[in-house]
Amino acid sequence: DAPEGNLVGTVTDSVTGEPIGGVPVTDGHTYAVTDMNGNYTLKGDTLSRTVYLSVPAEYEIPTDKDHHPAFYINGDFTDTTKLYRNDFKLTPRETVNNRFILVNAADIHIYDDEDLKKFAQRSLPDMIESIEAYSDDSFRECVAVLNGDQLSDRMEMLEPFKQTIAGKSVAGRKLVFLHCIGNHDFDAEYINKTGLKADSYHASRTFVENFGPVDYSVNIGNAHIVVMNNLMVKGTGTNRYGQALCVEYDEGFTDSQLKWLEADLALVPNPAEKVVILCVHATVMNKTNRNYQAVARLLTRFNEGYIISGHTHRIRNVNLKHTCAGG
C-alpha cells in the first residue's frame, strides 16, 4: 500500500541501526514522512535535484568531516520514471535541549583574496569569541546561519570560502554553518556560458552543488528553523565592481515555495508551543512583495515567530503586523 513515487529510501539511527519513523523528507517540492520502518516514498518533480530531511530535534544536524551540512543528497533526479534510492543516517543528540546559540551573519561579500583574508582574520574570530562569551554549562550547540551574499558574484572564491569556515569549533563543540542564498551567490556566469534561462533554478546550480538546497528546515529543541530563497532571478547584468556578472531579480516567494513552506510547517508537532525562525536574504518587514504576507501568516500558528534577513547592510528591528499564537 506504499504511495507511488520514484524517490525512495530509509532513515536509520547511526548508533543503534534502528529505523526512524516520522522523519519529514522532501525534494524541495513535496514532502513525505518515513513510516515505522524508516522508509519513505516521494513522488519527484522534473526539477528535483536534491533529496533531504527536515532534521528532527532529537537528532544532530548531519555534517561531513569539515562540519559542512550533510542532511541532503544531490543528484540528477529529474527523470520521474526512474527509481532513485537515497538513504540517511541520523545521530541522536545527547539531550534535547532548548538552549542553543543561533548566530546570523549576512553580506560578507567575498570578492577577492583580500576580502577572504579580512573575514578569516577578523570577522570569523570575532564571531567565535562572541559565541564563547554567551556559552555556559547548559550550552549544547551553536548554529551559524549565513543569510546570503557570502560571495560577491565571483564563483572562484567559493571553494576558498568553504575551506575557511571548515572544521570550526567553539567551546569544544563543532560550529555548523547553514547557508542561505543571496543575490550575489547566484551564478550569472553559468547562465551566460550555457545559454540556459535566467531563473532561480538554473542560476542557483553552483550554490546547490556546494551548500545544498535553497529551501530547507532543521529543528533544535523547541525551535523550527527554516532557511529559504526569497529572490526570483529574471536576468543578468554587471555587478558594482563592473568586473563580474550578477543576476537581476525580483523579491518574493513563488507559489511553489509557498506550497512547500505550508507543507513543511504542517509537519511540525505542537506549533503553538514552539518558536519558528525564518532566515532569508532580502528583508521582509511589512512589504507586500509576492507572497510575503502569506508567508508571514503561516508563521503565526507558532508561539513566537521571527524573520531574520540581510541584504541592506544595516541592523534594524521591525515588528511585523501579525500576531503569533503566543501573542
Side-chain angles (χ1 to χ4, degrees), residues 61 93 100-104 131 139 141-145 174-178 218 220 225:
I61 298 173
R93 284 190 166 99
F100 66 96
I101 294 175
L102 175 66
V103 174
N104 287 75
I131 297 168
F139 163 62
E141 64 184 291
C142 176
V143 172
V145 180
K174 65 182 177 183
L175 176 57
V176 179
F177 286 92
L178 299 178
V218 299
I220 307 177
I225 303 171

Side-chain angles (χ1 to χ4, degrees), residues 2 13 38 74 90 94 103 126 138 159 180 220 226 237 243 272 275 318:
D13 187 304
N74 284 342
L90 295 177
E94 296 176 6
V103 174
D126 180 68
S138 64
E159 190 56 39
C180 175
I220 307 177
V226 186
Q243 298 175 351
V275 176
V318 177

Side-chain angles (χ1 to χ4, degrees), residues 7-11 25 40 51 73-75 77 84-88:
L7 303 177
V8 302
T10 304
V11 181
V25 185
Y40 71 88
V51 176
I73 297 174
N74 284 342
F77 309 129
Y84 302 95
R85 183 172 189 88
N86 296 286
D87 298 328
F88 297 88

